Amino acid sequence: MKTNSFSRRDFVRRTTLAAAGVIAAPKMNAFGKAAKRRVAMVGTGHRGTGMWGSPVVKEFADIAEFVGLCDKNPGRVETARKMMNVSCPTFTDFEKMMRETKPDLLIVTTVDATHHEFIIKGMEMGADIITEKPMTTDETKCRAILDAEKRTGRKVTVTFNYRYSPHRQKIYELLRADTIGKITSVDFHWYLDTRHGADYFRRWHRLKENSGSLWVHKASHHFDLLNWWLESEPETVYANAALEHYGKNGPFRGVNCRSCPHKSECKFFFDVTRDKRLTALYVDNEKHDGYLRDGCVFKEDINIYDKMAATIHYANGANVSYSLTTYSPYEGYRIAFNGTKGRIDAWIKESGAMTLEPYDEIMVSHNFGKVEYIKVPQSEGHGGGDAILRDKIFRNPNKPDTYRQSAGSRDGAMAILVGIGARKSVESGQPVRIEDLTGLRPLAVKG
Ligand SMILES: NC(=O)c1ccc[n+]([C@@H]2O[C@H](COP(=O)([O-])OP(=O)(O)OC[C@H]3O[C@@H](n4cnc5c(N)ncnc54)[C@H](O)[C@@H]3O)[C@@H](O)[C@H]2O)c1
């Protein structure tokens, strides 16, 4: 079976595109050596400090230095500085940080609905941007980011770490190698468990106005994977969703777990104080902003959906059947690509009472032929993706992008537009054309 070879044409095309979606290489100093990148970060919470803060300090001290940290919570930004073990100044005023520290690179890890403010202002003030997904939460902000990138000539990189896991990369490779012929449809079902899934309903994510709903906050990760695997862009989406389990559906409720009178009977009780890191970041800094990391999953104000299903049609003709569930007994997903020559099945079990193997499998079934199983060793940190992505951004920005994993603003846009379209489709009961959201015309073949 020809599973791991690309055609030469593909390889040349992909390596030529290596720089797409990647920030510029470091500038030279007076001695002809690469100067350290001046890095600033806005949003110094769990992801900011854990994915970018401490690892960048530890892994790339020779080539990058933090020159400023900003958060609207003055206590959290100071906690972050100590956790990261850096001595740079901290700020609660973003523009002051940009003016005084003049970073080359700005990492945006704030609440989703605020990303656009910092992406746009950051570029206007001279920095290239590394933003966490989702790039933003609605189509107007999305268009504004695309326009600002064009206007300023700066670069937005969207950190789609999911693309970098070896298991998903192997699927990409199999699809490109024509293993199952033309891909005609995809079945994609994602399960969040009663621990991680429930956590979205405890935090700021529980409000559409912060997260754009899980259609955008969570599912845009999955839509990006689809866009990448299919090498095509979404044309229409039709969706259904409901809130049937969390929020107002609960049997009782409190404000947050620590103060709740139902602690002993609630299966979702979560003692945030047992986690030292979360306590330092959030509990110890509640006095500054009132944000409760252990909010009640049955709060009446929750307005995001907890079950979602969508049909997505791609510009290359592929149809996708997608669902997201947020209260499963285990966490993971199942995906199947149906092609004219066969089918690829893959599944990931990330948690739960099932036997966890040290590898993930891919099943390749050939029409009228044999079935093969491919085993891909597992790795830590979003399937190993986090570390590879950091390395690509900081250490090896010019490394050939053979699997086209680097993502820029167009990728960021196409991922969220499916989620934004799905949210609108649930509200209107009508299918939504992706092009109608921002004017971006979906390409049948990306590249
Ligand atoms: N790629 C991934 O796998 C992944 C995983 C987790 C989170 N994320 C993303 O990372 C981002 C941060 O998530 P998190 O879990 O760290 O959340 P968090 O609540 O821990 O951190 C967000 C921080 O932003 C700050 N903030 C919010 N609005 C601000 C504003 N207007 N100005 C300055 N600071 C502001 C908050 O005070 C907080 O410290 C989100 O966009 C999320 O989607 C990505």
Side-chain angles (χ1 to χ4, degrees):
M1 181 178 65
K2 193 182 138 207
T3 54
N4 53 5
S5 60
F6 286 93
S7 71
R8 196 181 136 63
R9 183 184 59 83
D10 268 352
F11 185 78
V12 171
R13 182 165 63 87
R14 274 161 236 288
T15 46
T16 317
L17 285 169
V22 180
I23 45 169
K27 295 171 191 141
M28 296 295 152
N29 66 16
F31 305 101
K33 285 182 78 177
K36 281 190 186 182
R37 280 168 200 266
R38 297 174 60 77
V39 184
M41 178 157 67
V42 58
T44 57
H46 191 61
R47 185 72 179 164
T49 54
M51 165 69 182
W52 300 106
S54 302
V56 168
V57 172
K58 282 189 197 128
E59 295 162 20
F60 308 115
D62 57 325
I63 50 171
E65 63 180 333
F66 275 97
V67 294
L69 298 174
C70 175
D71 198 286
K72 68 176 185 182
N73 185 314
R76 187 145 51 242
V77 72
E78 199 45 42
T79 305
R81 192 185 63 71
K82 288 185 192 135
M83 276 181 174
M84 290 165 56
N85 196 21
V86 289
S87 55
C88 66
T90 58
F91 299 83
T92 50
D93 180 331
F94 174 71
E95 291 192 28
K96 187 166 190 278
M97 173 177 82
M98 294 300 291
R99 265 195 315 275
E100 292 184 6
T101 67
K102 299 190 173 33
D104 314 311
L105 262 189
L106 172 71
I107 299 172
V108 179
T109 37
T110 53
V111 165
D112 303 345
T114 66
H115 286 179
H116 69 295
E117 293 173 31
F118 306 111
I119 296 173
I120 295 172
K121 191 49 88 177
M123 289 194 286
E124 287 172 350
M125 295 183 82
D128 285 322
I129 308 294
I130 296 172
T131 180
E132 267 299 347
K133 51 51 60 179
M135 189 167 81
T136 185
T137 50
D138 74 33
E139 68 278 21
T140 312
K141 295 171 181 174
C142 177
R143 188 68 259 174
I145 291 171
L146 299 174
D147 292 346
E149 190 182 35
K150 216 173 192 178
R151 188 172 70 241
T152 60
R154 310 305 319 187
K155 186 81 217 155
V156 178
T157 298
V158 184
T159 54
F160 282 125
N161 49 337
Y162 280 24
R163 292 185 180 193
Y164 289 84
S165 91
H167 183 246
R168 300 186 187 119
Q169 181 177 300
K170 186 70 194 172
I171 295 173
Y172 179 92
E173 201 179 328
L174 290 165
L175 295 172
R176 294 292 85 71
D178 200 34
T179 312
I180 56 166
K182 178 179 158 51
I183 307 155
T184 53
S185 65
V186 186
D187 319 325
F188 193 9
H189 304 289
W190 201 286
Y191 318 108
L192 296 169
D193 65 13
T194 46
R195 188 190 63 83
H196 182 220
D199 221 26
Y200 292 107
F201 296 82
R202 290 191 182 102
R203 299 177 286 160
W204 51 261
H205 314 63
R206 73 181 193 283
L207 301 176
K208 277 185 201 173
E209 44 277 36
N210 288 335
S211 62
S213 81
L214 294 180
W215 277 125
V216 176
H217 175 81
K218 188 69 193 170
S220 65
H221 250 320
H222 314 150
F223 300 143
D224 176 67
L225 284 176
L226 286 166
N227 300 349
W228 172 62
W229 274 323
L230 291 173
E231 281 207 332
S232 183
E233 292 184 335
E235 209 167 56
T236 55
V237 57
Y238 174 71
N240 282 290
L243 174 63
E244 293 182 333
H245 187 61
Y246 300 110
K248 60 184 181 322
N249 304 291
F252 41 68
R253 57 194 45 79
V255 174
N256 66 325
C257 290
R258 274 166 294 156
S259 66
C260 187
H262 304 285
K263 271 181 198 169
S264 57
E265 55 190 315
C266 183
K267 290 204 163 63
F268 290 97
F269 173 70
F270 162 63
D271 184 358
V272 62
T273 61
R274 292 182 65 173
D275 185 319
K276 278 194 185 141
R277 186 174 145 73
L278 294 186
T279 302
L281 280 172
Y282 306 104
V283 178
D284 295 348
N285 293 308
E286 275 169 11
K287 54 185 176 285
H288 299 290
D289 61 6
Y291 176 62
L292 298 171
R293 175 62 182 76
D294 60 345
C296 178
V297 299
F298 297 132
K299 256 187 173 168
E300 301 262 3
D301 69 350
I302 291 173
N303 64 6
I304 58 170
Y305 307 110
D306 58 17
K307 75 163 189 191
M308 289 145 270
T311 301
I312 310 157
H313 181 73
Y314 274 77
N316 70 356
N319 287 330
V320 173
S321 166
Y322 170 85
S323 74
L324 177 60
T325 307
T326 58
Y327 37 83
S328 291
Y330 61 86
E331 179 121 344
Y333 63 91
R334 290 185 168 274
I335 188 157
F337 296 86
N338 301 296
T340 49
K341 294 190 206 164
R343 175 175 159 107
I344 292 177
D345 284 89
W347 53 94
I348 293 277
K349 297 165 285 180
E350 283 177 354
S351 76
M354 304 160 81
T355 317
L356 295 177
E357 308 288 355
Y359 55 82
D360 294 314
E361 266 184 310
I362 301 171
M363 182 171 90
V364 182
S365 312
H366 301 274
N367 286 354
F368 315 108
K370 57 188 177 179
V371 177
E372 293 173 80
Y373 290 87
I374 298 167
K375 291 183 170 44
V376 183
Q378 286 171 352
S379 335
E380 289 294 316
H382 289 109
D386 285 353
I388 304 171
L389 170 61
R390 268 195 307 269
D391 197 71
K392 171 74 181 154
I393 288 179
F394 285 94
R395 181 74 62 195
N396 291 305
N398 295 323
K399 194 172 160 188
D401 190 13
T402 311
Y403 302 100
R404 216 180 59 74
Q405 283 148 312
S406 296
S409 57
R410 184 168 181 115
D411 303 284
M414 282 299 169
I416 54 172
L417 290 174
V418 186
I420 293 165
R423 199 177 66 214
K424 286 178 177 286
S425 175
V426 176
E427 286 156 9
S428 69
Q430 300 298 318
V432 170
R433 287 179 73 235
I434 300 301
E435 186 178 349
D436 291 346
L437 296 171
T438 59
L440 270 190
R441 181 166 299 170
L443 299 169
V445 182
K446 256 214 101 194

